[in-house]
């Protein structure tokens, strides 16, 4: 057979580890294994009926054609209202772009903003795709390590030390995937003070878990907490997590004219517009009854409280309580040492094979010695998973 080469840039990136975990769990289930999948960041709730009804109405009224590349006027106006209502941020609709998921918005930002040799500051633990998106754009990631003792949050001193004359972008995700940690408005303002003297640095605030949040302090978006940096902050969000709409693939971004224009251009030469029917559904989600979001978040909080306590009962596991998302991120280095695992990756392989529980190792998130648990599933499933893990690890001693 002919051996075909691919582009050199592909050597810089790897497939998504969370996607690989999801695919492997599905493959093993298809083979007859009773796998509990705690690897995927996907709500287990159905999309609320009112949102589905809006999509059906859109289909029946013929909203099945191309839309403007950057989204329908109706959805951009709904996003505009959302930013005003929830964050106190005011954008012209020309400063808003609708994408095929928040992931595409972030990818478009990296391609539209970054040049070869630019640096991107990425606090770790980080969402798996951030460094690879930067690499595909030719940039280098400067990773700032945080751990459980620091509540998984970057300090102003760490940020100041990481900035160079090549720094072009800072990526902030709060509440955080994978840790569940959330920055307060005061903590964001302190980071903003470090950034103010560096006018070439753009900040992207990934707010996708904004509404899956239960900290005593209310959620704060970076641009809200740091109004002096509004003109160089891009805020990304979407409907996937808050409204259980992962498959509908709608995200959005708002920010400075020049950056949003570049993001639109990238999108115009890649996917073009997001799905027309999904956009109509997203209008209903953003403008509709928000009590469904609070109900789902209350369920996540209950699961969080159970799982954090259960994980802390496992010898060698230390789990910090989070302020949001549907992830727990225990440090398991004590168990790794005691049970003679060589790595968190080896432990996840053991738990998949011996406990039939699928997890993602912390190494995938830039945090060796940790594991990510998704609790976007029922309490009954979480109890069974915790029991299986305890039994499997006990059997190894």
């Amino acid at each position: 057979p002919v051996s075909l080469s691919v582009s050199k840039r592909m050597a810089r990136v790897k497939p998504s580890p969370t996607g690989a975990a999801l695919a492997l769990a599905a493959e093993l289930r298809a083979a007859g294994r009773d796998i509990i999948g705690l690897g995927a960041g996907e709500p287990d709730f159905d999309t609320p009926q009112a949102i589905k009804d809006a999509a059906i109405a859109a289909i029946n009224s013929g909203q099945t054609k191309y839309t403007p590349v950057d989204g329908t006027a109706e959805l951009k106006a709904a996003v505009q209202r959302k930013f005003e209502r929830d964050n106190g941020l005011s954008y012209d609709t020309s400063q808003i772009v609708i994408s095929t998921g928040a992931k595409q918005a972030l990818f478009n930002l990296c391609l539209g903003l970054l040049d070869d040799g630019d640096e991107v500051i990425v606090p770790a633990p980080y969402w798996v795709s951030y460094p690879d998106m930067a690499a595909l754009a030719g940039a280098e990631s400067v990773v700032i390590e945080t751990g459980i003792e620091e509540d998984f949050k970057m300090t102003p001193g760490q940020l100041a030390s990481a900035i160079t004359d090549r720094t072009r972008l800072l990526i902030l995700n709060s509440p955080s995937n994978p840790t569940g940690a959330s920055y307060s408005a005061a903590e964001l303002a302190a980071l903003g003070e470090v950034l103010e003297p560096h006018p070439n640095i753009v900040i992207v605030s990934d707010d996708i878990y904004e509404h899956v949040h239960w900290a005593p302090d209310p959620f704060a978006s970076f641009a809200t907490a740091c109004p002096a940096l509004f003109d160089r902050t891009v805020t990304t969000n979407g409907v996937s997590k808050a409204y259980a709409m992962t498959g509908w693939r709608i995200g959005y971004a708002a920010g400075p004219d020049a950056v949003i224009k570049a993001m639109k251009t990238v999108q115009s030469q890649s996917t073009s517009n997001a799905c027309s029917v999904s956009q109509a559904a997203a209008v209903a989600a953003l403008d509709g009854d928000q009590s469904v979001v609070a109900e789902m978040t209350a369920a996540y909080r209950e699961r969080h409280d159970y799982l954090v306590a259960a994980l802390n009962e496992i010898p060698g596991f230390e789990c910090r309580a989070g302020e949001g998302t549907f992830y727990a991120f225990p440090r398991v280095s004590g168990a790794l040492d005691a049970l003679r695992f060589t790595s968190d990756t080896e432990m996840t392989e053991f738990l998949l094979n011996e406990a039939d529980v699928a997890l993602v190792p912390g190494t995938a998130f830039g945090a060796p010695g940790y594991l990510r648990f998704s609790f976007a599933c029922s309490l009954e499933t979480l109890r069974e998973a915790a029991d299986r893990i305890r039994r499997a690890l006990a059997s190894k001693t």
Side-chain angles (χ1 to χ4, degrees):
V2 177
S3 178
L4 297 176
S5 62
V6 296
S7 70
K8 291 183 177 62
R9 79 173 60 86
M10 295 313 300
R12 306 174 194 161
V13 298
K14 56 191 179 299
S16 166
T18 50
L22 183 62
L24 179 57
E27 183 181 320
L28 292 174
R29 278 195 207 96
R33 294 266 298 274
D34 177 24
I35 301 294
I36 294 178
L38 302 184
E42 180 168 52
D44 58 319
F45 298 101
D46 193 12
T47 303
Q49 190 61 46
I51 298 172
K52 293 194 286 187
D53 289 343
I56 293 166
I59 293 170
N60 288 334
S61 66
Q63 295 181 46
T64 56
K65 309 294 185 185
Y66 291 135
T67 77
V69 165
D70 56 342
T72 64
E74 292 80 10
L75 181 50
K76 291 174 70 176
V79 169
Q80 185 182 45
R81 290 189 290 272
K82 181 263 173 235
F83 277 122
E84 286 273 12
R85 177 183 71 233
D86 296 344
N87 311 112
L89 298 173
S90 180
Y91 293 100
D92 294 334
T93 53
S94 63
Q95 296 176 294
I96 294 169
V97 58
I98 310 300
S99 299
T100 303
K103 191 172 193 174
Q104 187 192 13
L106 290 161
F107 185 77
N108 290 348
L109 172 65
C110 288
L111 282 188
L113 181 72
L114 300 171
D115 285 314
D116 290 349
D118 284 346
E119 291 179 349
V120 178
I121 295 177
V122 185
Y126 47 69
W127 181 47
V128 295
S129 294
Y130 294 144
D132 291 280
M133 289 178 176
L136 279 169
E140 299 171 16
S141 291
V142 176
V143 175
I144 294 179
E145 295 183 2
T146 71
I148 197 168
E149 284 85 6
E150 296 82 28
D151 289 330
F152 300 117
K153 288 188 271 193
M154 169 181 63
T155 66
Q158 285 179 304
L159 175 59
S161 297
I163 292 173
T164 73
D165 57 4
R166 293 198 293 158
T167 306
R168 191 74 177 98
L169 182 66
L170 165 66
I171 301 178
L172 284 176
N173 174 216
S174 174
S176 160
N177 173 8
T179 67
S182 182
Y183 288 91
S184 69
E187 288 168 332
L188 292 175
L191 296 176
E193 288 181 14
V194 174
L195 294 162
E196 277 193 50
H198 301 279
N200 290 328
I201 300 177
V202 172
I203 304 93
V204 60
S205 181
D206 181 353
D207 293 359
I208 193 68
Y209 294 97
E210 170 181 5
H211 293 298
V212 189
H213 182 263
W214 48 75
D217 293 326
F219 170 81
S221 189
F222 183 84
T224 309
C226 304
L229 298 175
F230 177 81
D231 288 336
R232 49 191 173 102
T233 300
V234 176
T235 305
T236 63
N237 209 322
V239 298
S240 295
K241 313 299 184 181
Y243 302 97
M245 293 177 67
T246 49
W248 300 76
R249 308 308 301 131
I250 294 292
Y252 53 85
D257 292 284
V259 177
I260 295 297
K261 183 179 179 182
M263 292 168 67
K264 291 176 184 178
T265 299
V266 172
Q267 187 161 302
S268 75
Q269 299 294 2
S270 56
T271 59
S272 193
N273 65 274
C275 171
S276 60
V277 175
S278 295
Q279 289 190 63
V283 173
L286 294 173
D287 282 346
D289 179 7
Q290 301 297 301
S291 65
V292 293
V293 178
E295 290 167 9
M296 288 188 277
T297 297
Y300 294 135
R301 175 70 188 275
E302 183 182 14
R303 299 166 185 181
H304 161 274
D305 291 351
Y306 164 76
L307 184 60
V308 169
L311 292 174
N312 277 320
E313 291 175 0
I314 299 174
F317 279 47
E318 306 167 75
C319 193
R320 173 192 181 274
E323 291 84 50
T325 75
F326 28 73
Y327 309 108
F329 200 64
R331 181 165 59 188
V332 298
S333 49
L336 295 177
D337 292 342
L339 300 176
R340 294 186 175 87
F341 287 108
T342 59
S343 66
D344 51 11
T345 301
E346 187 185 6
M347 180 182 273
T348 60
E349 292 169 353
F350 173 83
L351 292 174
L352 181 61
N353 292 324
E354 302 300 324
D356 286 341
V357 176
L359 303 167
V360 186
T363 296
F365 305 95
Y370 292 80
L371 301 179
R372 191 188 77 169
F373 288 70
S374 169
F375 49 84
C377 58
S378 69
L379 273 172
E380 180 184 7
T381 300
L382 291 174
R383 289 191 182 99
E384 173 64 20
D387 287 345
R388 290 185 186 186
I389 290 168
R390 275 194 292 266
R391 289 196 302 267
L393 293 178
S395 74
K396 196 176 186 298
T397 56

